[in-house]
Amino acid sequence: METTNQNKEQLSVEQKIKRRNFISFGVFFALGGTAVAGWKWLLNSPDEVAGVTANAKAPLRRALNKTELFFRNFYSNKHLVKTYPTSRAAKNVRVNSLIGINDDEDFDAKNWHLAVKLNNLQTLNINIDEIKALPKTEIVFDFKCVEGWDQIQHWGGVKLSDFLAHFKLIEQSKKQYMGLETPNGKYYVGLEMECVLHPQTLLAYEMNNQPISMEHGAPLRLIVPVKYGIKNLKRIGTMSFSNARPKDYWAEQGYDYYSGL
Ligand SMILES: Nc1nc2c(c(=O)[nH]1)N[C@H]1C(S)=C(S)[C@@H](COP(=O)(O)O)O[C@H]1N2
Ligand SMILES: [Mo]
């Protein structure tokens, strides 16, 4: 009697071990299978919509966008960048790239105007005198290029938020993005509305108290200190508003769309 009981117990211990082994292997293969299936799913999933960023798989792009949102809240568009006394500003201001500037033979500075696309049908044309008539704001800050250089620079112009308010672009400011392009459309950037409305973001027409030179983006360029240089579009030709991300020259080459500091 006793022996049989012991046997029974031993048997059940062995059975327990077998069952546990069975469960562990089951879980192992199920997880492995899921990983393989997930990988195949990612490989076969469609590419993101072309043109906005550099053709990642759509689910990956969605994940990247989520991560980006997290960091965006962390290093928010709302902080003020450090400013410096005017005496610290560089006299020889670096010129970086000239896309949309030295490739535009048709450009005529005298007839320049800013074309603000109010909607699909209407455009508001604004000339430089109308812009210079608005309250002037100056900023001396450390301009940073993704290529690894930075320089303290002094810019003057109108706050983009003052500009939008003055021209009653209220409905437009409720959109999520602003798109800016050079007159020939060869260089273009997209900006989130929170950085557009940031108090240090300027439509600049002066550098070191002088009108901006051609290579620095005359007659009007963007100065957006919360972003890397790539977003600081020189020689603005058109301005538009949308809830979808506007096309962005460097994002198409794979750079971070947000490119915030
Ligand atoms: N139209 C236009 N704007 C542009 C660029 C460009 O090539 N074309 N380069 C950007 C980059 S990468 C940087 S770092 C800054 C450089 O501005 P700067 O030439 O006045 O130093 O302009 C930005 N705006
Ligand atoms: Mo740059």
Side-chain angles (χ1 to χ4, degrees):
M1 283 291 256
E2 253 191 277
T3 359
T4 348
N5 263 343
Q6 240 181 358
N7 276 347
K8 259 189 187 169
E9 266 174 32
Q10 269 177 358
L11 247 177
S12 68
V13 167
E14 265 172 34
Q15 273 173 338
K16 272 185 190 163
I17 291 174
K18 270 188 190 161
R19 188 184 295 155
R20 284 195 187 164
N21 277 344
F22 181 76
I23 293 172
S24 333
F25 278 109
V27 169
F28 176 78
F29 286 116
L31 288 180
T34 313
V36 171
W39 179 245
K40 279 195 177 154
W41 169 77
L42 192 56
L43 272 185
N44 295 327
S45 56
D47 289 343
E48 61 175 328
V49 183
V52 176
T53 38
N55 285 324
K57 291 287 179 191
L60 263 186
R61 171 48 60 192
R62 280 198 296 275
L64 286 170
N65 286 353
K66 289 252 163 59
T67 325
E68 186 199 280
L69 259 180
F70 170 80
F71 282 105
R72 207 194 272 187
N73 291 332
F74 220 79
Y75 303 103
S76 98
N77 267 325
K78 293 181 187 89
H79 76 283
L80 288 182
V81 307
K82 186 175 158 61
T83 54
Y84 298 82
T86 312
S87 59
R88 293 278 308 274
K91 299 284 172 289
N92 294 316
V93 181
R94 202 167 162 150
V95 176
N96 210 47
S97 61
L98 292 162
I99 308 160
I101 296 176
N102 64 356
D103 50 10
D104 188 353
E105 280 116 47
D106 302 332
F107 183 69
D108 170 10
K110 285 197 191 70
N111 288 324
W112 177 92
H113 57 252
L114 175 63
V116 182
K117 293 189 175 164
L118 300 175
N119 50 47
N120 288 336
L121 301 169
Q122 292 166 289
T123 301
L124 173 67
N125 290 329
I126 301 171
N127 66 41
I128 197 68
D129 294 331
E130 291 174 271
I131 292 170
K132 287 185 176 168
L134 300 176
K136 188 161 102 183
T137 302
E138 290 175 50
I139 186 165
V140 181
F141 76 105
D142 194 14
F143 187 102
K144 297 187 177 81
C145 169
V146 284
E147 286 165 47
W149 57 268
D150 66 293
Q151 190 176 48
I152 297 174
Q153 300 178 348
H154 177 191
W155 297 93
V158 58
K159 269 188 202 176
L160 188 43
S161 59
D162 286 350
F163 167 90
L164 294 170
H166 176 85
F167 289 101
K168 304 203 165 49
L169 301 166
I170 314 292
E171 282 312 305
Q172 288 77 6
S173 306
K174 289 179 190 157
K175 301 275 185 182
Q176 289 176 43
Y177 295 96
M178 172 184 279
L180 294 175
E181 294 186 20
T182 55
N184 68 357
K186 297 237 167 100
Y187 195 83
Y188 37 88
V189 299
L191 305 150
E192 308 81 39
M193 198 49 71
E194 22 170 12
C195 96
V196 165
L197 300 176
H198 186 281
Q200 293 174 311
T201 302
L202 306 183
L203 289 179
Y205 48 81
E206 280 180 6
M207 192 190 81
N208 291 337
N209 293 317
Q210 298 296 318
I212 298 181
S213 66
M214 278 296 155
E215 64 222 10
H216 283 300
L220 191 72
R221 76 172 291 171
L222 182 71
I223 287 294
V224 52
V226 292
K227 299 285 191 199
Y228 276 107
I230 46 178
K231 293 280 184 180
N232 290 244
L233 186 129
K234 301 190 278 192
R235 192 189 282 179
I236 308 172
T238 62
M239 178 184 282
S240 61
F241 305 86
S242 60
N243 286 325
R245 277 180 167 186
K247 62 176 182 169
D248 187 277
Y249 187 92
W250 286 109
E252 285 173 1
Q253 307 298 314
Y255 282 78
D256 174 32
Y257 193 96
Y258 185 58
S259 286
L261 284 163

